[in-house]
Amino acid sequence: MATNKQVLLANRPNGWVKESDFQIAERPLPTPGDGEVLVRNLFLSLDPYMRGRMGASKSYAASVELGAVMVGGTVGEVTESRNPRFKPGDLVVGYLGWQQYGVGGDKDLRKVARRNFPLSLYLGTVGMPGVTAWIGLNKIGQPKAGETVVVSAASGAVGSVVGQLAKMQGCRVVGVAGGALKCAYTMEDLGFDGCVDYKAGHIAHDLERETPNGIDVYFENVGGDILEAVIPRLNPFARIPLCGLISDSNSTTPRGISDMRQFLVKRVKLQGFISSDTMELWPEALKQLGDLVENGTLKYRETIVEGIESAPKAFIGLFKGENFGKLIVKLA
Ligand SMILES: NC(=O)c1ccc[n+]([C@@H]2O[C@H](COP(=O)([O-])OP(=O)(O)OC[C@H]3O[C@@H](n4cnc5c(N)ncnc54)[C@H](OP(=O)(O)O)[C@@H]3O)[C@@H](O)[C@H]2O)c1
């Protein structure tokens, strides 16, 4: 009889996450109730936001309960249906969590089509991270042709889309990424104009070289030293979509900004945003992103690990830059 392997939250980490903060469990397959379907998850997305859900502090979304299945985006195939809108074989995206099978109904699942790109992209460039890039750049960053856009975590799921969209809008695009290989990728494969390897040890100097006209939009994914190096290069009326602060994720003391006055004298707009706040923008963003991937304009890269048991270790690697592109677990 088939069983359902799951990853549960075993401990709330204080500081760095450890593999022992997770527990692998094996349970009987769940049974769909009226209006629900059983889904065999094919791919699971691993994302930085999950670190926040492992803690108990108040945030924009509820924490995962101790002993519960870890939260996570999935793409899978309906195997049994008690809902007339879904039939076995339908492909669905949802948040069924770190497990091989899950059940959901209309409000949990969105049907997707098999298109001319891998299904896993529905968790990356044509999914939540891509939409995040699209919303943050277009609605908050509002770049104009000729402006300079800098994006951190540039080779990753969100950053790679930000930079490519900004390029399409006629901007000078500079990435910040960890290591020469990731930097080379943003320039050679994604078409960025420049890239700063923050691990090389002279971010401020390299950023000055790559942004001779200053910075008009800084798409913030990281925070910390990279933000500190960006601030002096900001132009008057610069915009900062504050998407994430991954460098702070495992720290027990949040980092501040040393020179807040720069925001005043340069009239900088900084706005935090969560992509799920503006669900009304998703259909347009997903349509554009899907079309751009399908016609070969928007490039992507994935790190795919195999099997649900690989998820904890791979997830920890996200915070050390071990992934190169969108981090995905292949489940079936
Ligand atoms: N606001 C929203 O709605 C929303 C939605 C999705 C994602 N996000 C945020 O967007 C950011 C990027 O997420 P993603 O899914 O696209 O992840 P990702 O970029 O695919 O992977 C994370 C990357 O962050 C970089 N990183 C990790 N620790 C770092 C550190 N201490 N200092 C500098 N860089 C570090 C690493 O790249 P390097 O090797 O280049 O260092 C790593 O590969 C995260 O902050 C995430 O929380 C926000």
Side-chain angles (χ1 to χ4, degrees):
M1 198 182 99
T3 56
N4 184 22
K5 266 198 200 159
Q6 308 174 314
V7 179
L8 314 179
L9 178 64
N11 294 302
R12 297 209 183 283
N14 180 28
W16 276 88
V17 182
K18 302 179 293 302
E19 284 190 61
S20 57
D21 294 328
F22 303 96
Q23 185 197 335
I24 312 276
E26 198 159 350
R27 302 227 165 104
L29 283 196
T31 312
D34 254 359
E36 289 185 330
V37 298
L38 176 65
V39 179
R40 182 169 75 121
N41 293 327
L42 302 173
F43 295 99
L44 163 70
S45 179
L46 295 178
D47 300 272
Y49 76 83
M50 295 164 175
R51 174 65 187 84
R53 305 286 176 89
M54 296 176 78
S57 49
K58 199 167 156 22
S59 186
Y60 62 91
S63 303
V64 176
E65 296 291 331
L66 282 175
V69 176
M70 277 294 296
V71 63
T74 47
V75 56
E77 185 180 11
V78 172
T79 56
E80 190 183 329
S81 178
R82 297 190 59 194
N83 180 322
R85 273 179 291 278
F86 296 93
K87 58 180 188 321
D90 282 350
L91 296 169
V92 289
V93 168
Y95 279 85
L96 296 183
W98 295 25
Q99 56 182 343
Q100 293 173 311
Y101 289 85
V103 291
D106 288 320
K107 66 179 187 344
D108 312 301
L109 301 170
R110 174 168 57 89
K111 258 199 247 188
V112 291
R114 211 174 267 285
R115 293 182 65 175
N116 202 14
F117 52 73
L119 273 181
S120 52
L121 284 208
Y122 284 123
L123 303 174
T125 304
V126 192
M128 184 278 282
V131 171
T132 302
W134 191 96
I135 292 173
L137 183 73
N138 293 330
K139 300 299 169 186
I140 303 173
Q142 298 185 357
K144 297 182 221 24
E147 288 190 328
T148 297
V149 174
V150 172
V151 56
S152 49
S155 69
V158 175
S160 60
V161 178
V162 169
Q164 292 182 87
L165 293 180
K167 255 329 272 178
M168 287 173 211
Q169 295 176 39
C171 298
R172 174 176 175 79
V173 174
V174 176
V176 180
L181 271 182
K182 287 185 176 180
C183 266
Y185 167 70
T186 67
M187 293 169 62
E188 288 160 20
D189 294 52
L190 305 182
F192 290 18
D193 300 284
C195 186
V196 169
D197 169 10
Y198 72 91
K199 291 186 173 164
H202 22 77
I203 320 175
H205 171 270
D206 294 351
L207 205 55
E208 189 176 340
R209 185 192 62 225
E210 297 300 336
T211 60
N213 300 321
I215 298 171
D216 302 294
V217 177
Y218 173 50
F219 194 105
E220 175 61 296
N221 281 324
V222 172
D225 291 343
I226 298 173
L227 176 60
E228 290 292 341
V230 161
I231 291 172
R233 309 270 331 130
L234 292 172
N235 287 330
F237 301 102
R239 287 84 67 199
I240 305 183
L242 173 49
C243 175
L245 295 166
I246 196 167
S247 69
D248 237 6
S249 306
N250 293 293
S251 145
T252 45
T253 44
R255 193 94 182 238
I257 293 175
S258 60
D259 190 2
M260 201 64 198
R261 178 158 295 276
Q262 296 270 335
F263 285 75
L264 172 63
V265 299
K266 291 176 176 168
R267 288 85 94 205
V268 173
K269 175 172 119 179
L270 178 147
Q271 187 182 333
F273 73 101
I274 300 296
S275 56
S276 55
D277 288 343
T278 45
M279 291 308 295
E280 70 281 5
L281 299 174
W282 282 54
E284 184 190 354
L286 286 172
K287 163 100 181 64
Q288 276 185 25
L289 294 164
D291 290 350
L292 287 168
V293 169
E294 221 167 28
N295 72 25
T297 314
L298 194 58
K299 307 278 192 292
Y300 59 87
R301 182 172 180 134
E302 303 175 301
T303 292
I304 300 189
V305 299
E306 299 261 345
I308 192 75
E309 298 87 349
S310 318
K313 182 169 182 292
F315 174 68
I316 293 167
L318 260 183
F319 303 94
K320 302 176 183 164
E322 287 171 4
N323 62 308
F324 193 163
K326 176 74 194 98
L327 181 57
I328 296 285
V329 185
K330 185 173 187 300
L331 298 176

